[in-house]
């Protein structure tokens, strides 16, 4: 069984379109994250949710909107896609120990987004 | 704010040789330190982490790292490289209690030469 899954694995789209990436974890974790990994492999956190509440919201354009319908899901919706949004997006989750500074994060396989 | 610096974006070692991947951190308070590995076309996987206690941390696949406060380092080592160790390795740091973000380094790509 896949612990953290993402769909789709690949996403190719035109500039200006709106797209969503879905993430699900079956680990029973309380905290979920979205990361963006650019072409140089730099990994940067975008958002984090704990029990469906937004905890971390880094400097991300308003075009990116996370949605957590329940603890096991954290989806990422992107409006008006731009060329610079091309990257690999990783979902992750962790068990809430009260401080996720020390929690182990479990990553999904990534979604490679290409904006043409 | 915390940060990590990984020295060397690419490291090549021969199979059976020592693996040494360098990581230095910057933090004004005691840090928590992690090493993650990313195999091609996969997500990251935790190798090991230091939170408190023993400064020599052993992880999966024969890797270990030592937290050296005086050198602000957390270098990753493995005595004998295996072909399957070829991957991208990320050092990461976080600080404080509560919900603090983890900051990742820029990664080191390890190549193992047969």
């Amino acid at each position: 069984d896949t612990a953290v899954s993402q769909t789709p694995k690949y996403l190719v789209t035109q500039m200006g379109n709106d797209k969503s990436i879905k993430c699900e974890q079956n680990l029973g974790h309380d905290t979920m994250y979205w990361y963006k990994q650019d072409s140089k492999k730099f990994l940067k956190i975008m958002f984090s949710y704990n029990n469906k509440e937004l905890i971390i919201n880094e400097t991300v354009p308003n075009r990116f909107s996370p949605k957590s319908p329940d603890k096991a899901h954290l989806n990422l919706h992107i409006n008006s896609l731009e060329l610079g949004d091309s990257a690999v997006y990783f979902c992750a989750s962790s068990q809430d120990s009260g401080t996720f500074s020390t929690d182990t994060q479990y990553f999904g396989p990534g979604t490679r987004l290409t904006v043409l | 704010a915390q940060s990590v610096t990984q020295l060397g974006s690419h490291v090549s070692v021969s199979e059976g040789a020592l693996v040494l991947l360098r990581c230095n951190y910057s933090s004004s308070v005691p840090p928590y330190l992690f090493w993650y590995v990313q195999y091609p076309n996969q997500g990251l996987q935790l190798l090991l982490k230091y939170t408190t206690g023993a400064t020599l941390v052993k992880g999966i696949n024969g890797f270990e790292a030592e937290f050296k406060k005086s050198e602000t380092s957390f270098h990753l080592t493995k005595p004998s490289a295996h072909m399957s160790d070829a991957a991208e390795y990320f050092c990461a740091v976080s600080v404080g209690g509560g919900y603090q973000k983890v900051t990742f380094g820029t990664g080191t790509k390890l190549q193992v030469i047969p």
Side-chain angles (χ1 to χ4, degrees):
Chain A
D1 286 343
T2 304
V4 182
S5 59
Q6 297 178 228
T7 54
K9 190 170 176 63
Y10 299 96
L11 185 53
V12 181
T13 188
Q14 300 286 334
M15 269 198 311
N17 284 350
D18 303 338
K19 291 294 179 185
S20 292
I21 307 172
K22 295 185 176 182
C23 177
E24 176 182 4
Q25 55 93 5
N26 62 8
L27 297 167
H29 288 167
D30 297 304
T31 307
M32 297 185 72
Y33 314 77
W34 276 111
Y35 286 89
K36 178 181 180 180
Q37 187 177 48
D38 62 22
S39 59
K40 296 184 178 179
K41 297 285 189 176
F42 182 59
L43 193 67
K44 184 171 168 54
I45 191 165
M46 301 172 69
F47 303 102
S48 175
Y49 271 72
N50 179 265
N51 282 314
K52 302 196 302 175
E53 288 193 24
L54 183 63
I55 300 294
I56 289 177
N57 186 352
E58 288 293 283
T59 308
V60 176
N62 292 337
R63 300 182 294 102
F64 290 80
S65 54
K67 284 186 172 52
S68 182
D70 55 57
K71 264 184 17 173
H73 296 84
L74 181 60
N75 304 323
L76 184 64
H77 188 76
I78 315 170
N79 289 328
S80 303
L81 278 155
E82 300 178 357
L83 292 176
D85 297 332
S86 295
V88 180
Y89 292 83
F90 286 100
C91 177
S93 72
S94 66
Q95 181 64 49
D96 181 11
S97 66
T99 167
F100 65 57
S101 304
T102 60
D103 295 339
T104 297
Q105 295 186 26
Y106 294 81
F107 284 77
T111 295
R112 183 174 293 276
L113 172 64
T114 303
V115 182
L116 303 174
Chain B
Q2 71 269 21
S3 65
V4 288
T5 302
Q6 292 184 240
L7 298 175
S9 58
H10 288 81
V11 170
S12 291
V13 299
S14 298
E15 191 174 14
L18 172 71
V19 176
L20 171 61
L21 304 182
R22 299 178 186 274
C23 173
N24 288 88
Y25 69 90
S26 173
S27 171
S28 58
V29 297
Y32 306 119
L33 295 157
F34 308 78
W35 276 100
Y36 281 84
V37 60
Q38 183 179 26
Y39 297 104
N41 299 313
Q42 294 186 28
L44 281 71
Q45 176 185 1
L46 182 73
L47 273 178
L48 49 81
K49 65 179 176 182
Y50 167 78
T51 54
T52 57
T55 56
L56 181 62
V57 182
K58 294 186 184 298
I60 62 171
N61 301 339
F63 284 93
E64 62 182 37
E66 186 170 10
F67 169 60
K68 292 187 176 180
K69 184 178 178 181
S70 61
E71 298 177 9
T72 61
S73 68
F74 191 58
H75 302 330
L76 182 70
T77 61
K78 181 174 180 177
S80 176
H82 192 271
M83 294 300 295
S84 61
D85 295 328
E88 190 97 24
Y89 291 79
F90 292 89
C91 184
V93 64
S94 67
V95 298
Y99 299 112
Q100 303 298 323
K101 68 177 180 179
V102 175
T103 300
F104 286 83
T106 50
T108 297
K109 187 169 187 176
L110 176 66
Q111 180 185 21
V112 181
I113 304 166

